[in-house]
Amino acid sequence: MFKDMLKEFLCTYGPTGRETCISNVIRAYVAPNADEIYNDTLGNLIAVKRGTSGKKVMISAHMDQIGLIVTDIDENGFLRVSNVGGVNPIIAIAREVVFENGTRGVTYFETEKGGAADATIQKLFIDIGASSRDEAEKKVEIGDIAVYAASFTELGRRISCGALDDRLCCAIVAECFNTCVSEHDVYAVFTVQEEVGLRGAGVAAHSISPDFCVNLDVTLTGDTPKCSPMSVKCGKGPAIKVMDASVIVPVGVRRFMEQCAHESGIPVQNEVLRGGGTDTGAIIKTKGGIPAGCISIATRYIHTPVEMADMDDVMNAVKLVNAMLAKKGMPTA
């Protein structure tokens, strides 16, 4: 069941630079349908399904999540932290967090000189219930990374959980890899270190050298009260990226994606993101340039423990990717 796979992906530990656990979980789902599966030197998980056309198509999503890395342990056992990826310190207050070894704690902040609105990363700490440095060091080391403890909630057709960015799209890529019919070599790539600079995707794309790539990631929405204006809305279909701060998608690629959606009766939206970026930006400029596009899933409250998306958008994204993989031709810029 897709939703069971999604829940497991969402609830598995895997911050940037520590993706081994989630990589192993994803591997178990895609390996039975792979002709080859491996991790490259940087840690990207790559599954291959061979075709007959001689062409290669890469579908990708990043498997790392944001986190808090321990930088110091004080004499009373409190853990001082820094961010790994885009952690908003105000949102990170009073949260339950978990480390790779299962140690749990809660976050809070220095209150002497201000309230929650004045919180910064430098004022944050994690309380794991220790009363001394020695006690804390038996559970946690400098350099260990904590992530928000996962809590999966179903709200009708919508779901809420931390790490939808980008485990939601990892589940889409896994489902497409397992179910697609294509005459091309299909490479499902689950990348590392996206949250700190799109580092894994370029490495994978360089080694694979695909003829076409479809990256999947979440994107902001414009459908909550008094938010920044944006056309993308939950439940209106997967979004075809036009541009963000890392990429302007070639017109030929976008038209190919739009044609596939139209022919399959899949509702889609156009996405223009004012800031931010995705692995698409790293892939498209690899080697001599790779035709690459991005399917985005409208997601509310990104980089929080309560990210929200619509399952209709998710399943329509699966249909759209599979429609592209079934095509005999390849898009050009």
Side-chain angles (χ1 to χ4, degrees):
M1 290 287 290
F2 179 85
K3 193 171 288 185
D4 292 333
M5 175 176 67
L6 174 59
K7 287 180 181 178
E8 188 168 5
F9 286 11
L10 291 171
C11 296
T12 299
Y13 178 91
T16 303
R18 305 286 191 277
E19 297 95 348
T20 301
C21 291
I22 183 59
S23 177
N24 290 340
V25 167
I26 296 173
R27 175 186 284 262
Y29 278 94
V30 299
N33 294 288
D35 295 311
E36 181 183 5
I37 188 166
Y38 60 96
N39 289 91
D40 67 14
T41 303
L42 200 60
N44 297 302
L45 176 64
I46 302 171
V48 188
K49 186 183 289 187
R50 302 294 181 192
T52 59
S53 72
K55 299 291 187 178
K56 293 182 283 188
V57 181
M58 173 175 159
I59 54 175
S60 65
H62 72 88
M63 57 185 170
D64 60 313
Q65 64 189 123
I66 60 172
L68 294 167
I69 187 168
V70 178
T71 60
D72 191 28
I73 303 174
D74 74 17
E75 61 183 8
N76 294 313
F78 293 101
L79 315 179
R80 292 295 181 164
V81 296
S82 186
N83 61 298
V84 179
V87 177
N88 184 326
I90 296 174
I91 291 172
I93 291 170
R95 301 293 186 180
E96 183 181 1
V97 295
V98 61
F99 289 89
E100 185 172 7
N101 64 5
T103 296
R104 289 182 175 260
V106 295
T107 61
Y108 214 68
F109 68 106
E110 297 174 1
T111 58
E112 181 183 14
K113 296 182 179 179
D118 302 309
T120 63
I121 288 292
Q122 290 74 25
K123 292 182 179 180
L124 281 181
F125 57 83
I126 298 175
D127 186 344
I128 59 171
S131 56
S132 67
R133 180 183 290 111
D134 288 343
E135 185 180 352
E137 288 177 341
K138 293 176 182 177
K139 298 180 178 180
V140 176
E141 297 181 353
I142 304 299
D144 285 350
I145 302 176
V147 300
Y148 295 132
S151 178
F152 183 90
T153 303
E154 295 188 65
L155 304 162
R157 285 298 300 167
R158 292 179 181 169
I159 56 170
S160 176
C161 192
L164 289 187
D165 178 15
D166 194 28
R167 303 290 172 70
L168 182 63
C169 293
C170 288
I172 294 171
V173 170
E175 181 73 5
C176 292
F177 183 80
N178 288 339
T179 61
C180 72
V181 176
S182 180
E183 64 178 29
H184 312 303
D185 291 350
V186 177
Y187 287 75
V189 182
F190 305 90
T191 68
V192 297
Q193 298 192 35
E194 188 270 355
E195 295 288 2
V196 293
L198 318 181
R199 295 175 185 172
V203 171
H206 189 276
S207 64
I208 295 167
S209 192
D211 296 284
F212 174 50
C213 178
V214 181
N215 178 238
L216 291 100
D217 210 327
V218 300
T219 191
L220 301 174
T221 69
D223 59 0
T224 58
K226 296 186 178 181
C227 64
S228 297
M230 187 177 182
S231 66
V232 176
K233 296 176 174 59
C234 282
K236 299 299 183 182
I240 295 175
K241 187 181 291 292
V242 177
M243 69 168 285
D244 59 30
S246 71
V247 67
I248 298 176
V249 176
V251 173
V253 171
R254 284 199 292 112
R255 296 297 179 233
F256 173 79
M257 298 170 76
E258 291 166 355
Q259 179 185 357
C260 290
H262 177 73
E263 291 175 352
S264 301
I266 300 167
V268 292
Q269 312 176 69
N270 285 342
E271 177 213 2
V272 177
L273 188 64
R274 290 184 175 88
T278 70
D279 279 341
T280 318
I283 294 164
I284 204 166
K285 61 186 179 183
T286 298
K287 301 186 84 168
I290 293 172
C294 182
I295 297 174
S296 301
I297 305 299
T299 303
R300 296 172 179 170
Y301 326 125
I302 290 176
H303 283 191
T304 78
V306 293
E307 295 172 339
M308 183 183 294
D310 191 292
M311 286 301 296
D312 288 338
D313 293 342
V314 174
M315 301 317 297
N316 277 322
V318 172
K319 293 176 184 177
L320 179 52
V321 174
N322 278 347
M324 286 187 279
L325 293 175
K327 285 284 188 180
K328 294 182 182 296
M330 294 278 177
T332 60

